[in-house]
Amino acid sequence: MDPISLQLGTRNLHGWLVRLLSRNLEWLDAKVKLFLPNVDLGSEYQALDPTQRAILHLQKLHTQGPTTWKSFIQCVCMELDVPMDMEVLLMSMWGHEDGKSDPKPHPLLLLSFLPGLKRTYQSCGSSPRRKQLRKQQQGRYLQLLRTSVQQRYGDRTPGLGQPLAFHQVYVPPILQWSRASAPFHTQEGATTGDPKAEDGTNVNIRDLFSTKASKGPRVTVLLGKAGMGKTTLAHWLCQKWADGELDRFQAVFLFEFRQLNLITGSLTLPQLLFDVHLRPEASPEAVFQHLKENAEGILLIFDGLDEILQPCSDKETADPEDPASALTLFSRLCRGTLLPGCWVMATSRPGKLPACLPTEAATVHMWGFDGPRVEEYVNHFFSDQLSREAALAELRVDRRLWSMCAVPALCQVACLCLHHLLPGRSPGQAAALLPSMTQNYVQMLLALDPRGVLQAEPLLGLGEVALSGLESGKVIFSTGDIPASTLAFGDALGLLTSFCVCTGPGHQDKGYAFSHLSLQEFFAALHLMTRPQVDRETLSQHVTLHSRWVQRTKARLGLSDHLPTFLAGLASRACRSFLSLLAQREEEWVAARQEIVLQALKKLATRRLTGPKIVELCHCVGETQEPELASFMAHNLPQQLPFHNFLLTYADMASLTNILGHRDGPIHLDFEGCPLEPRCPETLAGCGQVENLSFKSRKCGDAFAEALSRSLPTMGSLKKLGLAGSKITAQGISHLVQALPFCPQLEEVSFQDNQLKDKEVLNIVKVLSCLPRLQKLDLSRNNVSVSTLLSLTKVAVTCPTIRMLQIRPRSAGLLAPAAPGSHTQSYRSHSVASDLELLCSDPHFRLQKCQLGVHDVEVLIAQLQEGPQLDEVDLSGNQLKDEGCQLMAEAAPQLLSDNGLSVAGVLSVLSVVSMCQTLAELHISLLHKTVVFTFAPELEEQEGIQKSCRLGHLDLSGNALGDEGVALLARLLPGLGSLQSLNLSENRLSLEGVFSLIQCFSTLRVFQCGCFEFSSQDGFPACRDLLAPGSLPEFRAGARLGFGQRHVPRSFCLKECQLEPLSLSHLCKSLEKCPGPLEVQLSCEVLSDQSLETLLHHLPQLPQLSLLQLSQTQLPPRSPLLLADLFSLCPQVQKVDLRSLRHLTLHLRSSEEQEDRCCWRFTDCGLRQEHVEPLCCLLSKCEDLNQLDLSANLLGDDGLRCLLECLPKVPISGSLNLSCNSMSQESVLCLVEALPSCPRVREASVNKTRMLSECHFKPEHMPRLAASLNQALQLAELTCCFPGLEQLIVLLGLLTWPTGVLTLRVEEPWVGRARVLKLLEVCAQASGNITEISISETQQQLCIQLEFPHQENPEAVALRLAHCDLGTHQNLLARQLMETCARLRQLSLSQVNLCDASSLLLQSLLLSLSELKNFRLTYSCVSSKGLAHLASGLSHCHLLEELDLSNNQLGDEGTKVLLGALEGKCRLKRLDLSHLPLGGSTLAVLTQGLGHMTLLQSLRLSRSNIDDVGCCHLSKALRAATSLEELSLSHNQIGNTGAQDLAAVLPGLPELRKIDLSANGIGPAGGARLAESLTLCRHLEELMLGCNALEDCTALGLAKGLPRHLRVLHLPSSHLSPEGVLSLGQALDGCPHVEEISLAENSLAGGVPRFHQGLPVLRQLDLVSCEIDNQAAKPLAASFVLSWNLLGDEAAAELARVLPQMGRLKRVDLEKNRITAYGAWLLVEGLGLWSLWNNPIPPDMAQHLQNQEPRLDFAFFDNQPQVIPRGT
């Protein structure tokens, strides 16, 4: 037998028969005497054992001939107790002749059917029972079923010109489990969870149908992309069963969903089995009953699950045997409600599988062929050895053809083509004719035709049928769907297959289909490319990309996955002659068709695509064989290329690396959650563009690691390698360890979360000496013992390249502490560490929570003393106890915490450090048994200066000092002159103790912050109780920030205590002597009226006070009145903000500051009518009240009337906000009528959320509203919402100011529905001159600026008279618009859909706008006819100064038409054409116009497809634009050549202030030339060159001469190293105007810039994804974007410390870091808004923290609910 048969586990029938007969020797002897009467059964025979006797009898019976043997077998099956499955096998193998009638029985056998004879066991002539007859009928059906399958597959003969093996070759593809473990036990006896059955394990075919599977549904799903051999495997299994090799099953049924889709009605399971397959000759009920009773021996295969058309219904009937759709029957079979115990196998392409599949179904991936399988297939395909060797030689030479053969269907096509091409050709010539999948199919057509002549008409006929089928979702055709001649042609060449299809119970028809779905797509592509009836637009629409994230989008895959790929392949030059011959057209016509496809692909290459679409586009571009297009796509790929959660095959990876080979710059590949074919890494061999490579998937195992190890040494640019979350074992790691020494350029390696053991970890660490550039080795989330840790520490301190060893637990509570008194050795072998990192940047040493004991400390100290000086030692969370802590305090310079410290231990530790002169920070907490030391660098001793303790931060929180301890501390404070902060929270202090300390603060010259928080032990809740127990800041850094010396305010914080009047009075008197500026933060549960009055009355005695804050405090209801009188008591009050009677903030100005306008806000304070009059009386004393906010109160109509009476007395000079006060429509009108009596109010808001939308103004209300507005001449802008157009038309007609300008803004849904034409008609009704119109349909906004009084424009009058003879509505409207818009200076249309009528009206209007200065049409859709109208109108606007046509959906021709309006625009100052296609002749129109725009100040051409050639022409045109201030060319295809041409022009633009060349293809050569040129642009303020591969040479060039006025410098993702960044930092240091710096996505580890001289106006420093850790962040604590880094609570503590020094700071972005809840709370003490999205803070804690402090922002989007996402 062949190996495949053995793999299926075929039983030895002869051996089984021997065992059966040896147990029935009496019956056997009788039969032998019956059939062989002359045989002697003497004493010698009787002496044999039963087995030998049975064998001897069988041999004698078999030698008598087939008639005797077949008759004997029939007797065995009928008379002995033979299982049904064995009976079927015996009868099929020996009982009948295949396909023929039963042989004539042995004459003596007829006696066994004579009546009256005894039972078989008593006599050889007994009669069978009725059960045996029924059994015979059932066996007859199973035999007939097997025979019909044999006939189906046995009639395959090769076609004309085909090799013998064309239909007979079968090589099994690679199968691999997809789930975490296989749901079935294997036949080898492996148990569940055995590695052989784990995720990613290769599967033998026998494992698909294991005999030891558990009970219940036995469902297997085979997933594979098109062409992987799913259908072939299904048919092959049926054939093997019919041949008797799959004896596990009595019956196998194969269903194809493409055929089941044709059954529209409901049917039962017997109908599905017997109508679609063979129907029993008799008693179908008995046969079905037998199938039910033997369901464990029934296999049902459903092919093409992804092709189902019916939806999967969740509704089930009570009786599972009721008729239903085919899919519902499939669902019942899978769930075990029908035919329970049967085996179900389904095949599908990867995607969203139907919900009917049970969750326990086994999922198996089909990966196609690897190298050995390709060779095996070729060896089977070609009959002679010479052809085999020649074919394999062709495949091995051509790497692309070899990768295509990884898909079995393509391998078959390639072999067929080679069989046709090899004869008569030299080596390599045949493969050269097969460079793409498409050309393989083209050559296949020529190979299949026996005449070798291309027959155009039938081929085009097949193309028409194929395309119509794809568009209608049809893959099976009837006879009437295909012309007879076409059908005969396709059938003769094997392009079409025919079969019998069942359309319903008892209804069958003949169906036809293409031999493979990809062949149908190929013919559809031929039709699209060759038929003149297919226009240009239709052809380009078929060049689209299908996202394969079908799990998230749709339940069913489309049928045209490969259609764009075939179109791309047919667009290659090599297919031009073939298409020309097929279409019977000249090659120029074909070339034009091909260009349409190429341009569509080029357009797709400019888009920001998802991972699946990028892979599909790589296939398409590779098929075109156009190097320029491949290079264009490669350079448009982003540097960070993520692929997440979709399946990737070897062919996919090969197509991707093929494109990357055309890229100059480096790229970062990130594969996360992607099922990957094990040999995918082989495609990366020699891929020098990959700089970062990361894999994170449980699908990656040892085979994957081995393949990766072969490719790594060939990837010379690889700097970062990540292989995390995989199933790599010691075997896979050994391959990688052997490869790493050949990658000396590696800077970072991660083997995180790979279940590595001690031996593997140590082997990895041993190769560190071979990696001189390595900066970080991440071995976190693996299993490492204490003994291995100590070995690692020895390596870490002795290896010169290792600068940091960091080991942390995976999560708190993982490790149980050792029992008291236990020895270290007792747990030394335990797995203790989950997070292990070796960093090669800063010298740090961290072993947190590693169960280290006192004995281990001695070993560590000895090791550390051998190594270099360390900046940090962290041994927190161990079991060092007092002795170990004392030993480490003597030897180590940084941190000891949570190590079981006692009081005696504290004294011992203090005795060690009491005389330490480098101690900078001390944190002691006996509550948490913690002591933290931070040491400053030791200063050189200078003459005359006595060394003293330089302690900067003292944290004694969480102790029990009490008032006595504080009194002792107060005596020591004057000697600590350098103390900056003191924390005495939770120390059981009284307020008297606090007040005694306040008096000492004035003696501390640099003191910044004092924090006193009362604990819950005193009856008040403590803030620290909100956080996790024992959570403490890891470090409190002592570094200072050099951003200029400012007057830093001192902060005093007193939280959660009882603030009585006497206590507050004492507090304020104590604070009077503190120097300023002073910030006071107080909180208590309830503050009484008397306490608040006391506090406010003492404010005048605190002139140094700049901020007073009361948070989380219940304030009295009279608070608004008390605060309203504050101005008369304390004139320096600048802003009062009272919210919900819980939060109060007072901002005060110092005597040196200039007086500013005051702002009073009383929101949600429960103010009613009775409060209005006294409140206004008190506010009238304020001299200049700029803003009064009374929103969200309870004023109502009565309160408003009272307010309107008092309003003239209140000196409001700005805005009045009365939103959310339950006012009626009448009250709103009264408010508007009252505005004239308040001449200083320039803005009134009744409801900022709904504006006036709920007032429901009707047309009769408009006169009253307009009359009031006509009197309020001080209004500058009115924002309101009307329910419809009618009210707005009336209001515009009634608004008649004597003089002035009013802006009217409308925001309503009907604005988006009204269309431009209707809105312009509204504008025509205005009584004043309209000077500005702005329309945005998507944003539902209409803005009109009116100028009074109305004035005529002579030119408009003349033009209007020209339209007098036209009486149509359109022309009447045009005349009205010309009159009202005669002085229109700005017209803005955004996100609109311009119909032809609207554009025609705009043309008429534009002709009359002699004063139009600004025209804007953006994000809009305009027809080609409309564009002509607009261009005609704009061509007459000669005074235009600003023209914005960006982001419109225009093609090349439309853009060219619109740009024709640029002619004669000599006064144009600003031009924006971003997102418009500016290539070739279109750009020529632009450059011609630019030559006359000498006044041009701003030119924006982002995302305009400008390449090097276009940039050269543009640069020449810019020589005339000497006034140019802004030039934006971002996101184009400008390379080094274009950059150099541009650099030659820039020095000739003396006014240039801003240039943006981000996201182009500029490399080091172009960057260096630009840097040299930009240093000559002395007025340059904003420079943006990010997302280009500039490298350090550009940074060094810029550093030589940065423009002195530079404000903004953006260089993200520019491939800068620490050297380049440091040089830039030195050049920027001290720049007086720099406000923004972006260095994101550069490798800055160890190269973080330090600005010693300071940047006085810096607002933002963006360092996203720069690999910055806690230590590197210390000198960077400013208004920075530090998201997507590795910052923890240490960095948060440093930020909170230095934050008060930054007066301009508004927001800090710390998203995607490692800050915990404690670090977030530390940040609250600083100023500004903190963005903390995606840090390890639980959602409930995030919500609680934000409730406590609104400045903490945990959201991803603004104004979104604060939900913290888990992971990314």
Side-chain angles (χ1 to χ4, degrees), residues 204-216:
N204 290 327
I205 296 179
R206 65 181 179 186
D207 295 336
L208 298 176
F209 314 111
S210 169
T211 57
K212 297 185 178 182
S214 57
K215 295 182 179 179

mmCIF file of all heavy atoms in Angstrom, residues 204-216:
data_model
loop_
_atom_site.group_PDB
_atom_site.id
_atom_site.type_symbol
_atom_site.label_atom_id
_atom_site.label_comp_id
_atom_site.label_asym_id
_atom_site.label_seq_id
_atom_site.Cartn_x
_atom_site.Cartn_y
_atom_site.Cartn_z
ATOM 1 N N ASN A 204 -1.803 15.190 10.829
ATOM 2 C CA ASN A 204 -1.911 14.114 9.859
ATOM 3 C C ASN A 204 -3.369 13.952 9.474
ATOM 4 O O ASN A 204 -4.272 14.219 10.256
ATOM 5 C CB ASN A 204 -1.377 12.803 10.447
ATOM 6 C CG ASN A 204 0.128 12.842 10.607
ATOM 7 O OD1 ASN A 204 0.822 13.468 9.805
ATOM 8 N ND2 ASN A 204 0.631 12.209 11.657
ATOM 9 N N ILE A 205 -3.609 13.461 8.277
ATOM 10 C CA ILE A 205 -4.993 13.306 7.830
ATOM 11 C C ILE A 205 -5.751 12.342 8.728
ATOM 12 O O ILE A 205 -6.936 12.498 8.970
ATOM 13 C CB ILE A 205 -5.019 12.850 6.361
ATOM 14 C CG1 ILE A 205 -4.413 13.955 5.482
ATOM 15 C CG2 ILE A 205 -6.411 12.522 5.899
ATOM 16 C CD1 ILE A 205 -4.366 13.621 4.023
ATOM 17 N N ARG A 206 -5.046 11.338 9.281
ATOM 18 C CA ARG A 206 -5.726 10.389 10.162
ATOM 19 C C ARG A 206 -6.227 11.079 11.428
ATOM 20 O O ARG A 206 -7.203 10.640 12.028
ATOM 21 C CB ARG A 206 -4.787 9.253 10.528
ATOM 22 C CG ARG A 206 -3.586 9.708 11.363
ATOM 23 C CD ARG A 206 -2.662 8.564 11.693
ATOM 24 N NE ARG A 206 -1.524 9.042 12.464
ATOM 25 C CZ ARG A 206 -0.491 8.283 12.802
ATOM 26 N NH1 ARG A 206 -0.464 7.029 12.422
ATOM 27 N NH2 ARG A 206 0.503 8.766 13.496
ATOM 28 N N ASP A 207 -5.547 12.181 11.846
ATOM 29 C CA ASP A 207 -5.980 12.872 13.055
ATOM 30 C C ASP A 207 -7.313 13.584 12.873
ATOM 31 O O ASP A 207 -7.957 13.944 13.850
ATOM 32 C CB ASP A 207 -4.926 13.902 13.486
ATOM 33 C CG ASP A 207 -3.627 13.232 13.901
ATOM 34 O OD1 ASP A 207 -3.692 12.056 14.289
ATOM 35 O OD2 ASP A 207 -2.570 13.884 13.817
ATOM 36 N N LEU A 208 -7.719 13.824 11.625
ATOM 37 C CA LEU A 208 -8.995 14.500 11.398
ATOM 38 C C LEU A 208 -10.164 13.628 11.821
ATOM 39 O O LEU A 208 -11.239 14.134 12.146
ATOM 40 C CB LEU A 208 -9.133 14.871 9.918
ATOM 41 C CG LEU A 208 -8.099 15.839 9.360
ATOM 42 C CD1 LEU A 208 -8.317 16.016 7.867
ATOM 43 C CD2 LEU A 208 -8.187 17.170 10.075
ATOM 44 N N PHE A 209 -9.972 12.288 11.783
ATOM 45 C CA PHE A 209 -11.059 11.373 12.108
ATOM 46 C C PHE A 209 -10.548 10.351 13.120
ATOM 47 O O PHE A 209 -10.450 9.165 12.826
ATOM 48 C CB PHE A 209 -11.572 10.658 10.852
ATOM 49 C CG PHE A 209 -11.788 11.587 9.698
ATOM 50 C CD1 PHE A 209 -10.968 11.535 8.583
ATOM 51 C CD2 PHE A 209 -12.797 12.530 9.728
ATOM 52 C CE1 PHE A 209 -11.151 12.382 7.523
ATOM 53 C CE2 PHE A 209 -12.982 13.391 8.670
ATOM 54 C CZ PHE A 209 -12.166 13.326 7.566
ATOM 55 N N SER A 210 -10.207 10.836 14.308
ATOM 56 C CA SER A 210 -9.645 9.953 15.313
ATOM 57 C C SER A 210 -10.724 9.036 15.859
ATOM 58 O O SER A 210 -11.869 9.434 16.054
ATOM 59 C CB SER A 210 -9.032 10.769 16.450
ATOM 60 O OG SER A 210 -8.706 9.937 17.526
ATOM 61 N N THR A 211 -10.351 7.801 16.176
ATOM 62 C CA THR A 211 -11.310 6.840 16.733
ATOM 63 C C THR A 211 -11.548 7.087 18.207
ATOM 64 O O THR A 211 -12.446 6.485 18.782
ATOM 65 C CB THR A 211 -10.779 5.411 16.544
ATOM 66 O OG1 THR A 211 -9.502 5.311 17.173
ATOM 67 C CG2 THR A 211 -10.670 5.087 15.081
ATOM 68 N N LYS A 212 -10.736 7.935 18.852
ATOM 69 C CA LYS A 212 -10.888 8.161 20.284
ATOM 70 C C LYS A 212 -11.496 9.514 20.591
ATOM 71 O O LYS A 212 -11.273 10.095 21.626
ATOM 72 C CB LYS A 212 -9.523 8.050 20.984
ATOM 73 C CG LYS A 212 -8.910 6.664 20.860
ATOM 74 C CD LYS A 212 -7.633 6.575 21.661
ATOM 75 C CE LYS A 212 -7.044 5.184 21.567
ATOM 76 N NZ LYS A 212 -5.804 5.047 22.376
ATOM 77 N N ALA A 213 -12.240 10.037 19.665
ATOM 78 C CA ALA A 213 -12.862 11.329 19.900
ATOM 79 C C ALA A 213 -13.915 11.203 20.977
ATOM 80 O O ALA A 213 -14.540 10.180 21.166
ATOM 81 C CB ALA A 213 -13.497 11.838 18.610
ATOM 82 N N SER A 214 -14.116 12.291 21.706
ATOM 83 C CA SER A 214 -15.122 12.309 22.744
ATOM 84 C C SER A 214 -16.508 12.308 22.128
ATOM 85 O O SER A 214 -16.688 12.559 20.950
ATOM 86 C CB SER A 214 -14.929 13.550 23.621
ATOM 87 O OG SER A 214 -14.990 14.711 22.814
ATOM 88 N N LYS A 215 -17.510 12.032 22.969
ATOM 89 C CA LYS A 215 -18.878 11.984 22.488
ATOM 90 C C LYS A 215 -19.360 13.389 22.159
ATOM 91 O O LYS A 215 -18.797 14.377 22.586
ATOM 92 C CB LYS A 215 -19.770 11.340 23.540
ATOM 93 C CG LYS A 215 -19.436 9.873 23.796
ATOM 94 C CD LYS A 215 -20.380 9.272 24.816
ATOM 95 C CE LYS A 215 -20.057 7.800 25.046
ATOM 96 N NZ LYS A 215 -20.950 7.199 26.053
ATOM 97 N N GLY A 216 -20.512 13.467 21.473
ATOM 98 C CA GLY A 216 -21.047 14.764 21.094
ATOM 99 C C GLY A 216 -20.706 15.081 19.656
ATOM 100 O O GLY A 216 -20.203 14.239 18.902
#
